[in-house]
Amino acid sequence: MIGLIETTSELRSWEEAQRLATALVNQMSLEQKVNITTGLGVGHARCVGSTSPVTNPDFPSLCLQNGPLGMAPAFNVTLGVAGINAAASFDRKAILDRGIYMGQEFYEKGVHVQLGPAMNFMRSPEGGRGWESFGEDPYLSGVASYETITGIQSQGVIATAKHFIANDQEKNRNEESSNIDDRTMHEIYLWPFARAVDAGVGSVMCSYNKVNGTSACENDMMNRVLRDQLGFQGFIQTDWWAAMETIQSPNNGLDMVMPGNRDPKDNFSPSYFGQDLVNAVKNGKVSESTVTDMAHRIVSAWYKMGQDKNFPNSSINVLDMTPLGSINVEADHKTKVRELGAASVVILSNQDDILPLSESNNNISIIGSDAFSDPLLFNVLKCANFGCDPATLVQGWGSGAVMFPSYIVPPVDGIQARAGKNVKFQTTHDNWNLDEAKKVAQASDIAIVFANSDSGEEYITVDGNAGDRNNLTLWNNGDNLIQTVADANKNTIVVIHSVGPILMPWINHPNIKAVVWPGLPGQESGNSLADVLYGDVNPSGRLPYTIAKNQEDYAAAATSDLEIDYSEKLNIGYRWFDAKNIEPLFPFGHGLSYTKFDYGSLKVKSNSKKNQVNAQLDIQNTGEADGAEIVQLYLSFPESAGEPPKVLRGFEKVFVKSGHKETVCFELTKTELSIWDVASQSWVIPHGQFQIHVGASSRDLRQTSSFTL
Ligand code: BGC
């Protein structure tokens, strides 16, 4: 294993990196500068994206590789938890650790640029790629983006904040225009990108869609907002084939075209940059100083991450996808995957304390294809980019899907290993043989029934779903299977692996004692699930999105309209349910524990001169098990501010031993206290009375206190 390089604190400052970049780029000809900005093209690049190398002065071909949850495509890498699970942990430190181990793997394989994290929103539950990102709340997404990027870049790898911006569904992603007013854009969709810039992100990827009528990759938002307002110092690359032309985009801030060839169907088609950009400069359509700035920004990010110092040679070769000679970079990262997998399991319901399971539960049935593995999962031809759903679901499909390592732990294996030899197990994996499911369920004391729901990127269609989900029902006969098992066994536990919310027509069945939501847990799926089912880990995962009673309850749906008006404005996710007084089935932030927590009285101090508010309270573990609580802070703005009823503005994961208490402190600064003022084009703190609510979910508020600014 190659030793790790410096951590973030030792990374160069942007100023230092830019000084070094100026010295290098000043020696380059126009053609050399353009080369740095231009992809080699599919069929010519050894990585998912590779830039053209430059010699004398020397600058290497940069290797850009997917994706947000690990390296893809590549052999001998870790298939970790999806972004949506990272968010469900509400655990800053664990999200940072995830970024660090991903960064290590990219560094050791010689990948300069990781194409992640994904930071789009689960604006509608059907959105095909919502699982790659961090859910429906800007604050949560902002924290998760910040920590992920900090972790990746601490290992000397450039992170990519993607997709800029408002690429929140797959339907017509190349044609649709996401139409968003200025305030909503700032307070919701830009928020995680602002946090990415705070983390010093090296690259941003502009998206396929249009924004308010203009293609995202030609949009002057790239310069005006991203650079001037947020202070972004790195380079902007296109999504693959998202470039449309040669002149507008560089003039509006685009720095790099990927993958290079302009026509996806022709590997030899020229780039919109390359010779065309050289000509545009010669014809006076693009100034040479613009091209100098573009090259400078790319070279600066490279220097900032210290990639000039013994960066490993890239060992990626997508032109020859064989495992031969592939270095193994997995180290012990599976431990982290298991820990984060367990930390992101959400217990939605748990009646009669059926969970955690105990030694006395010695006759268990495990039912449903989602509990099992299947050779098809490992078949990179028949299940390319994970575009298949024959067995347990550990990630969605598309460019962000990691190839399977040599193993995955399906739930059945994880549970049986933890239960030990004295427990009798009966299983069936045929979701359509309901008679068999009934027989197996009847013959056991506890029946654990599994089902899933999948989605992904639009270039693959699975079971008629072209990226976005066609509906929110379970796949593979899941609802009938659950109903059958529940009819047959009075101790039914339902486990759902899903990319996002589903409908639960069986939720009130009296025999369903628990609903467990492990999301998309990656390769250690069965182990992390067993850790929670048996109480080795006390669950603390929380929903990063709202689960509604009806599909129509959501603020937005994935649509085939080409003009998508974000008419819910600030009321994305739970804010909509609050504003419209709709009762969700399971609210944002919900998740149960095997212990109980008492919330002590909330003390709030405000300092309007410093634009600072501090809140503090004690959390007491009054139950029998040690465990962690996710303490959530929601802010209600003065009514005149025109904000949703409440918005998440803080959370802390606090571990409290049984019978003990811990103090939790929050600090709100100008960032958390402001709204975007369109007239002055600035962030302002509204005057008046605010309220702070602290609670265990967005609908389980335990303490409220007010302050005036
Ligand atoms: C996706 C990006 C990805 C790129 C390269 C595109 O289809 O939208 O997220 O990084 O492909 O594979």
Side-chain angles (χ1 to χ4, degrees):
M1 186 174 128
I2 301 160
L4 302 181
I5 61 161
E6 315 101 306
T7 55
T8 317
S9 53
E10 292 160 286
L11 289 181
R12 289 192 181 103
S13 66
W14 279 113
E15 293 71 25
E16 170 71 353
Q18 283 157 351
R19 202 181 50 73
L20 291 164
T22 305
L24 190 75
V25 174
N26 277 350
Q27 301 169 48
M28 292 183 184
S29 66
L30 171 63
E31 284 75 7
Q32 286 176 318
K33 287 181 274 196
V34 165
N35 271 356
I36 290 180
T37 70
T38 307
L40 286 168
V42 169
H44 313 277
R46 292 168 66 94
C47 300
V48 164
S50 303
T51 55
S52 311
V54 167
T55 44
N56 194 23
D58 295 342
F59 189 75
S61 167
L62 296 183
C63 172
L64 292 71
Q65 195 79 355
N66 287 313
L69 75 83
M71 202 182 307
F75 296 96
N76 303 322
V77 296
T78 300
L79 195 187
V81 311
I84 198 66
N85 274 54
S89 76
F90 281 74
D91 184 335
R92 285 189 170 77
K93 164 86 174 51
I95 299 172
L96 175 69
D97 278 355
R98 172 178 179 266
I100 291 173
Y101 90 66
M102 290 197 296
Q104 285 172 0
E105 297 199 357
F106 281 75
Y107 177 80
E108 290 176 16
K109 290 261 192 190
V111 176
H112 298 89
V113 182
Q114 177 172 355
L115 300 174
M119 292 153 43
N120 297 114
F121 280 83
M122 201 176 273
R123 173 175 176 260
S124 62
E126 307 89 1
R129 298 180 79 179
W131 61 274
E132 293 185 46
S133 309
F134 304 120
E136 69 182 25
D137 180 76
Y139 180 84
L140 175 60
S141 174
V143 170
S145 302
Y146 181 94
E147 299 298 346
T148 306
I149 290 163
T150 303
I152 293 169
Q153 297 197 157
S154 73
Q155 302 307 304
V157 171
I158 298 170
T160 306
K162 74 183 190 183
H163 310 81
F164 190 75
I165 194 166
N167 180 187
D168 304 312
Q169 66 167 50
E170 288 297 280
K171 248 180 221 94
N172 297 321
R173 68 177 184 184
N174 290 293
E175 293 89 31
E176 59 95 351
S177 174
S178 299
N179 301 327
I180 308 179
D181 65 274
D182 188 38
R183 180 167 173 185
T184 304
M185 181 60 96
H186 280 82
E187 294 190 22
I188 311 286
Y189 297 93
L190 276 166
W191 183 291
F193 286 94
R195 304 292 82 79
V197 173
D198 293 346
V201 72
S203 183
V204 165
M205 182 190 286
C206 55
S207 55
Y208 290 118
N209 54 290
K210 298 186 182 107
V211 183
N212 296 328
T214 306
S215 147
C217 289
E218 292 163 35
N219 206 300
D220 73 342
M221 286 234 327
M222 295 192 295
N223 266 335
R224 197 171 44 81
V225 179
L226 199 47
R227 295 217 167 89
D228 300 348
Q229 270 178 25
L230 306 187
F232 175 57
Q233 306 280 319
F235 64 93
I236 303 174
Q237 56 171 302
T238 62
D239 200 340
W240 268 232
W241 297 287
M244 309 279 178
E245 54 77 74
T246 305
I247 294 159
Q248 274 300 96
S249 41
N251 285 339
N252 280 330
L254 179 65
D255 301 308
M256 183 189 280
V257 158
M258 278 294 149
N261 54 308
R262 71 177 58 163
D263 180 355
K265 295 195 193 81
D266 180 1
N267 291 352
F268 291 93
S269 56
S271 171
Y272 282 115
F273 282 9
Q275 191 56 45
D276 280 19
L277 183 54
V278 171
N279 295 343
V281 172
K282 293 192 170 148
N283 298 335
K285 298 274 194 302
V286 176
S287 72
E288 178 154 359
S289 71
T290 297
V291 175
T292 305
D293 287 348
M294 292 157 65
H296 186 258
R297 287 192 281 256
I298 297 166
V299 176
S300 299
W302 180 78
Y303 271 124
K304 177 166 169 57
M305 308 308 155
Q307 296 185 345
D308 54 319
K309 292 180 260 177
N310 298 323
F311 197 78
N313 286 332
S314 166
S315 58
I316 302 287
N317 188 1
V318 296
L319 301 174
D320 174 20
M321 281 304 290
T322 52
L324 280 180
S326 150
I327 37 169
N328 191 315
V329 294
E330 294 169 56
D332 69 341
H333 301 156
K334 66 178 183 192
T335 319
K336 297 273 170 221
V337 177
R338 180 172 180 165
E339 283 169 9
L340 192 49
S344 54
V345 173
V346 184
I347 304 292
L348 293 180
S349 67
N350 184 18
Q351 287 165 32
D352 309 337
D353 289 335
I354 192 167
L355 294 174
L357 298 174
S358 70
E359 313 302 311
S360 63
N361 301 126
N362 56 14
N363 182 7
I364 299 178
S365 57
I366 296 182
I367 299 168
S369 59
D370 182 70
F372 296 83
S373 185
D374 189 290
L376 188 54
L377 295 177
F378 298 85
N379 189 324
V380 290
L381 295 176
K382 292 196 177 134
C383 186
N385 301 107
F386 210 59
C388 68
D389 185 21
T392 196
L393 188 73
V394 301
Q395 62 180 343
W397 75 75
S399 64
V402 171
M403 276 158 53
F404 267 30
S406 47
Y407 77 96
I408 59 155
V409 183
V412 65
D413 290 2
I415 295 171
Q416 287 186 351
R418 174 59 181 80
K421 296 223 158 33
N422 297 333
V423 179
K424 187 172 154 207
F425 278 99
Q426 354 212 358
T427 63
T428 167
H429 64 258
D430 185 344
N431 288 14
W432 281 269
N433 189 342
L434 298 177
D435 290 339
E436 178 67 11
K438 181 176 169 190
K439 223 167 71 196
V440 169
Q442 273 170 343
S444 58
D445 298 335
I446 289 195
I448 313 182
V449 54
F450 287 77
N452 69 37
S453 170
D454 200 0
S455 72
E457 202 171 340
E458 55 112 65
Y459 70 92
I460 299 175
T461 296
V462 183
D463 203 10
N465 297 263
D468 298 335
R469 284 185 287 169
N470 292 339
N471 54 51
L472 302 183
T473 52
L474 284 170
W475 287 37
N476 301 323
N477 207 25
D479 288 323
N480 289 329
L481 186 71
I482 292 170
Q483 185 72 42
T484 303
V485 172
D487 286 345
N489 188 306
K490 62 179 177 12
N491 292 316
T492 296
I493 297 171
V494 176
V495 180
I496 306 288
H497 289 104
S498 178
V499 286
I502 56 155
L503 300 175
M504 303 186 190
W506 32 260
I507 191 68
N508 294 321
H509 196 297
N511 291 345
I512 295 181
K513 296 289 159 60
V515 180
V516 179
W517 195 266
L520 301 174
Q523 69 190 51
E524 286 287 318
S525 174
N527 286 335
S528 49
L529 178 64
D531 288 342
V532 170
L533 291 181
Y534 280 89
D536 302 333
V537 171
N538 193 345
S540 60
R542 299 290 183 264
L543 282 178
Y545 43 75
T546 305
I547 300 183
K549 290 183 175 164
N550 310 296
Q551 188 161 5
E552 311 75 69
D553 292 348
Y554 288 101
T559 160
S560 42
D561 294 349
L562 295 184
E563 297 292 329
I564 304 182
D565 296 332
Y566 283 38
S567 53
E568 75 284 3
K569 297 180 186 261
L570 302 175
N571 286 326
I572 186 172
Y574 61 89
R575 299 148 171 240
W576 174 263
F577 288 75
D578 284 352
K580 302 284 167 192
N581 248 318
I582 305 169
E583 203 196 330
L585 185 57
F586 294 108
F588 175 87
H590 171 74
L592 302 176
S593 166
Y594 297 151
T595 189
K596 287 200 167 50
F597 297 99
D598 263 12
Y599 284 58
S601 67
L602 176 64
K603 297 185 196 84
V604 174
K605 270 197 210 134
S606 60
N607 182 332
S608 42
K609 275 206 196 95
K610 284 192 175 160
N611 293 332
Q612 192 183 313
V613 175
N614 291 87
Q616 181 180 319
L617 82 169
D618 288 342
I619 301 292
Q620 177 146 22
N621 183 340
T622 55
E624 247 119 78
D626 299 344
E629 174 72 328
I630 308 292
V631 185
Q632 300 161 43
L633 184 151
Y634 294 88
L635 188 67
S636 297
F637 282 83
E639 213 167 315
S640 59
E643 282 289 301
K646 63 177 186 292
V647 298
L648 184 74
R649 281 293 187 261
F651 60 83
E652 286 301 329
K653 177 169 176 174
V654 55
F655 185 83
V656 194
K657 280 185 163 313
S658 164
H660 287 65
K661 68 176 164 201
E662 299 288 340
T663 304
V664 175
C665 301
F666 295 98
E667 184 176 278
L668 306 184
T669 62
K670 182 161 187 211
T671 306
E672 291 80 27
L673 296 167
S674 298
I675 61 171
W676 179 253
D677 182 53
V678 176
S680 65
Q681 287 289 293
S682 64
W683 291 98
V684 298
I685 300 181
H687 293 297
Q689 199 183 57
F690 292 69
Q691 281 189 319
I692 285 184
H693 316 276
V694 177
S697 87
S698 62
R699 289 284 172 121
D700 182 7
L701 306 175
R702 306 281 183 87
Q703 295 286 337
T704 292
S705 184
S706 53
F707 63 90
T708 304
L709 289 178

